[in-house]
Amino acid sequence: MPDNSSYLVVPSAALWLFVLVIVGISCVALAVVLSRARRARNMKLARLEAGSVRSPLPEFEKNGQSAAAALVQWSPETLRHILAKELPDAQVIVVSNREPYIHNRNGDGIQLVVPASGLVSALEPITRACAGTWIAYGGGSADALVVDENDRVEVPPENPSYTLRRVWLSEEEQQGYYLGFANEGLWPLCHIAFTRPIFRASDWEAYEAVNRKFADTVVAEARNERPIVLVQDYHFALLPRMIRERLPEAIIITFWHIPWPNSEVFSICPWREKILEGLLGSSIVGFHTQFHCNNFIDSVDRFLESRIEREDSAISYGGQISLVHAYPISIEWEPARQAQLPDVAQCRRHVREKFGLADDVRLCVGVERLDYTKGILDRFTALDELLRLHPEWIGKVAFLQIAAPSRGTLPAYQQLHEECLRQAEDLNRRYGRDGYTPVLMVTEHHSQEQVYEIYRAADVCLVTSLHDGMNLVAKEFVAARNDEQGVLLLSMFAGASKELLEALIVNPYDATMMGDALLQALTMSSEEQRQRMQRMREVVRDNNVYRWAGSMLLDAARLRKRVAVDRAVGAAPTSSGNVISLLDRRRVAAL
Ligand code: F6P
């Protein structure tokens, strides 16, 4: 038998040698990769320390709940502190279409109304804290009666702390700019709700003219060349550039309260370039989520000749830089209305009496403007699903829908209203009986106090938007429940679902899932409700509206300081004169 051992030894030695060489090469490659990664990380840290545009105060920066941010108690004092320390003498001017207080004629008297608007709930405490000026359309029937000769009125009426400056619009302006371009064009364009946007040239002209009118008012109200202007929402896409042209030193922070569509959808808008150019007059453009920031940046990338630094979320256009950041909006903590309300037990009693609900009936609620983006009809479908599959719940659960009338002259809103009434009637006919009405549809404006009372009386709150920038009803419900009870059903397509993870997250298009979630909510133990509610309350408390505004103001302060430093060292200002070219500096630094 031949001895094969030598044949076996030779290939094995070669193999070992080969393995050793490969391991050696891999080690060298790994060392190179690690050292590059370390260098990149160090460079990034150095950039942050040197004042990259991205992180004004790294601990405040994260939208999630970083440990350091949670330690900061965000309050009106925090905001005032930021203003006094970081932006001394800055005048804060808020601009929105909707005013925070509406004066309406009521018989012989005047009635004060606080509109159903997430924007108003968020901005009102901020403007109070900053003692600023709020410029808005004066749409109330008695608005003109209560202003002074400069169209100003001090508010809140019970404890005046800021100035409301009213702008008057004609019927035609209101029709073209607000109902037409903003609400029949941009609103359906930006929300995935499958309602076709309507764009008319005459609406666009009105939109431009009204934006110009508001720009004139901002300039008239500015006490100096350097105000901080907080431009709100899709009614004013052109305003930032119009202000920039007249007040080049201003800090303009524009917040877009609704989603931003992907660039393919955005391309539908015939005036897409003008809208992007208008918004890029801002120092900062804010959205609720990073996803919407990315969509906006992609739209700019596609339709404008610009330079984009994705890592820093900065866009250079026409010689000026705009930062594009996510700032998830929130509510004040504790809500001012809360303190005036009776305890949960009393609220429950009162709401049940008011709507004729028996003691053993569980109460589900929905509260919002009557809008086709809110998924109201999908709630009816969910209830139908529950009662069909679990008939033992017939007579044991009622759904109260509070819907504030909104944009009621537009056909899409009229159709929605009719359909809601039809479906509510249908459910009541099929499942109702003497003394039991499964659906209560109340299409009326409710005050904040009334809304908070309803939140406190509810067993389940349904926020089932088909698409929503944030949705503050979800956060208000959580804030109202200091008894740590109640279940929140929350749409995965509302920005709030990125923060309120302990809600029952649902897809409003999936009737089975919605029905199941409703059943889960109705049968959830008190202990589970407590655990979920406790966690959500911590999130809303820590990420309150003062943090939202404070983060933007800190970013603004940082920009302003950088301009001052660059001026001091003689860096050339940009054509707009206010922001130095951060992108250029980064490029130079990288060479
Ligand atoms: O949800 C987006 C939003 O602009 C809110 O900011 C605001 O509450 C609402 O829509 C506007 O409603 P209205 O048309 O009644 O002012």
Side-chain angles (χ1 to χ4, degrees):
M1 195 167 147
D3 181 2
N4 286 335
S5 56
S6 57
Y7 294 108
L8 289 172
V9 168
V10 173
S12 155
L15 188 65
W16 276 114
L17 192 62
F18 177 71
V19 168
L20 276 176
V21 169
I22 292 296
V23 169
I25 291 172
S26 307
C27 284
V28 172
L30 190 66
V32 169
V33 168
L34 283 177
S35 112
R36 281 202 180 149
R38 206 174 310 119
R39 223 175 59 213
R41 195 175 139 262
N42 287 344
M43 277 168 66
K44 189 163 181 183
L45 284 176
R47 274 211 311 272
L48 289 179
E49 273 164 23
S52 141
V53 289
R54 188 70 190 138
S55 281
L57 286 177
E59 69 272 26
F60 294 141
E61 180 65 13
K62 300 276 176 286
N63 294 329
Q65 294 78 51
S66 79
L71 296 177
V72 177
Q73 290 280 320
W74 287 93
S75 66
E77 286 66 46
T78 328
L79 270 192
R80 282 193 278 268
H81 178 76
I82 290 173
L83 279 172
K85 193 160 170 292
E86 305 290 332
L87 294 159
D89 307 324
Q91 178 195 10
V92 175
I93 301 177
V94 175
V95 188
S96 72
N97 171 69
R98 189 61 65 194
E99 54 182 346
Y101 295 95
I102 305 176
H103 290 92
N104 279 331
R105 282 207 186 86
N106 185 12
D108 288 342
I110 291 178
Q111 184 197 18
L112 188 75
V113 176
V114 176
S117 156
L119 182 155
V120 167
S121 335
L123 262 296
E124 216 275 335
I126 302 300
T127 323
R128 257 189 280 135
C130 299
T133 298
W134 188 325
I135 300 173
Y137 159 56
S141 51
D143 274 352
L145 302 179
V146 298
V147 293
D148 66 13
E149 65 283 8
N150 297 311
D151 299 324
R152 297 185 188 132
V153 54
E154 296 300 308
V155 289
E158 69 281 5
N159 181 20
S161 46
Y162 66 93
T163 305
L164 171 58
R165 164 74 198 266
R166 286 180 168 143
V167 175
W168 313 115
L169 300 180
S170 68
E171 281 283 313
E172 297 71 46
E173 284 174 323
Q174 183 62 357
Q175 178 63 44
Y177 134 85
Y178 171 77
L179 288 166
F181 195 75
N183 285 320
E184 283 191 297
L186 290 178
W187 181 267
L189 180 78
C190 291
H191 288 92
I192 305 173
F194 306 100
T195 299
R196 183 191 160 116
I198 300 171
F199 290 110
R200 303 179 194 92
S202 56
D203 290 347
W204 170 251
E205 279 162 24
Y207 187 82
E208 262 187 315
V210 170
N211 272 246
R212 177 87 47 212
K213 199 176 225 183
F214 273 81
D216 292 344
T217 313
V218 170
V219 173
E221 287 296 323
R223 286 197 295 267
N224 58 39
E225 300 280 293
R226 296 152 56 85
I228 298 179
V229 189
L230 306 179
V231 176
Q232 304 304 310
D233 232 346
Y234 60 101
H235 311 93
F236 295 118
L238 306 179
L239 184 57
R241 183 153 301 281
M242 291 173 175
I243 300 173
R244 171 72 60 228
E245 282 161 3
R246 314 235 330 246
L247 293 172
E249 303 280 328
I251 288 197
I252 304 169
I253 305 177
T254 302
F255 195 80
W256 194 263
H257 289 255
I258 62 177
W260 189 274
N262 70 44
S263 65
E264 185 74 1
V265 171
F266 183 66
S267 71
I268 291 171
C269 178
W271 297 279
R272 61 200 182 195
E273 288 87 2
K274 290 248 170 4
I275 293 207
L276 295 171
E277 277 171 0
L279 287 168
L280 290 178
S282 316
S283 321
I284 300 176
V285 184
F287 296 93
H288 294 299
T289 66
Q290 189 57 45
F291 191 66
H292 298 146
C293 293
N294 296 347
N295 280 350
F296 177 77
I297 292 172
D298 289 347
S299 304
V300 173
D301 200 7
R302 187 160 163 187
F303 298 114
L304 294 184
E305 293 261 339
S306 60
R307 277 167 56 203
I308 295 174
E309 184 59 62
R310 285 182 190 264
E311 196 190 347
D312 292 335
S313 268
I315 298 177
S316 170
Y317 178 72
Q320 194 212 315
I321 302 284
S322 301
L323 307 184
V324 182
H325 283 190
Y327 305 94
I329 203 169
S330 195
I331 57 169
E332 73 180 316
W333 187 274
E334 297 259 327
R337 311 278 180 267
Q338 188 100 314
Q340 296 144 19
L341 280 174
D343 64 21
V344 167
Q346 279 193 58
C347 290
R348 282 178 81 87
R349 251 197 319 277
H350 184 228
V351 169
R352 279 165 183 278
E353 265 169 36
K354 186 168 165 189
F355 293 102
L357 297 169
D359 285 349
D360 61 342
V361 170
R362 311 295 295 281
L363 177 60
C364 305
V365 302
V367 179
E368 53 255 305
R369 287 181 306 103
L370 186 58
D371 195 293
Y372 55 80
T373 60
K374 302 293 181 185
I376 297 173
L377 294 171
D378 303 274
R379 289 170 208 170
F380 292 163
T381 311
L383 185 67
D384 193 4
E385 197 72 358
L386 175 85
L387 299 181
R388 190 173 61 81
L389 295 176
H390 304 277
E392 66 277 15
W393 280 97
I394 298 175
K396 296 274 176 288
V397 59
F399 174 53
L400 169 62
Q401 175 64 54
I402 303 293
S406 180
R407 308 169 193 170
T409 56
L410 297 182
Y413 288 78
Q414 288 166 355
Q415 277 160 25
L416 173 74
H417 192 188
E418 282 158 21
E419 191 55 20
C420 283
L421 293 177
R422 202 188 60 70
Q423 290 202 17
E425 242 175 70
D426 179 51
L427 286 170
N428 288 340
R429 188 178 39 75
R430 286 194 285 131
Y431 299 111
R433 54 191 186 210
D434 267 358
Y436 170 60
T437 310
V439 179
L440 299 151
M441 174 87 202
V442 186
T443 319
E444 273 169 29
H445 176 79
H446 283 63
S447 70
Q448 279 283 314
E449 286 78 5
Q450 289 170 318
V451 165
Y452 267 79
E453 186 181 54
I454 289 167
Y455 292 144
R456 280 160 88 95
D459 295 297
V460 183
C461 178
L462 289 97
V463 175
T464 56
S465 316
L466 303 182
H467 203 195
D468 222 329
M470 173 56 68
N471 194 298
L472 292 183
V473 167
K475 294 189 173 181
E476 285 175 356
F477 173 65
V478 167
R481 299 313 296 259
N482 53 5
D483 61 335
E484 298 175 347
Q485 292 296 292
V487 183
L488 176 64
L489 236 84
L490 179 56
S491 165
M492 62 196 290
F493 305 119
S497 67
K498 309 285 176 287
E499 290 179 86
L500 302 177
L501 305 177
E502 289 73 20
L504 298 183
I505 307 289
V506 290
N507 174 356
Y509 290 89
D510 184 339
T512 310
M513 183 194 220
M514 291 269 281
D516 288 351
L518 200 48
L519 182 64
Q520 189 186 347
L522 290 166
T523 53
M524 190 181 286
S525 73
S526 169
E527 186 45 35
E528 185 177 346
Q529 291 183 39
R530 183 177 322 286
Q531 284 180 15
R532 289 175 182 265
M533 190 55 87
Q534 269 175 0
R535 179 69 195 118
M536 291 193 285
R537 285 175 63 77
E538 280 166 15
V539 169
V540 180
R541 181 199 63 201
D542 293 344
N543 295 346
N544 62 29
V545 76
Y546 302 108
R547 182 176 179 189
W548 173 73
S551 311
M552 288 191 280
L553 290 175
L554 281 168
D555 284 357
R558 190 164 195 90
L559 276 177
R560 181 155 274 179
K561 280 182 188 164
R562 182 164 293 128
V563 172
V565 169
D566 271 53
R567 291 241 167 94
V569 298
T574 60
S575 56
S576 66
N578 82 318
V579 184
I580 51 103
S581 176
L582 297 169
L583 296 184
D584 282 340
R585 192 167 54 192
R586 282 172 52 83
R587 218 160 55 111
V588 171
L591 290 177

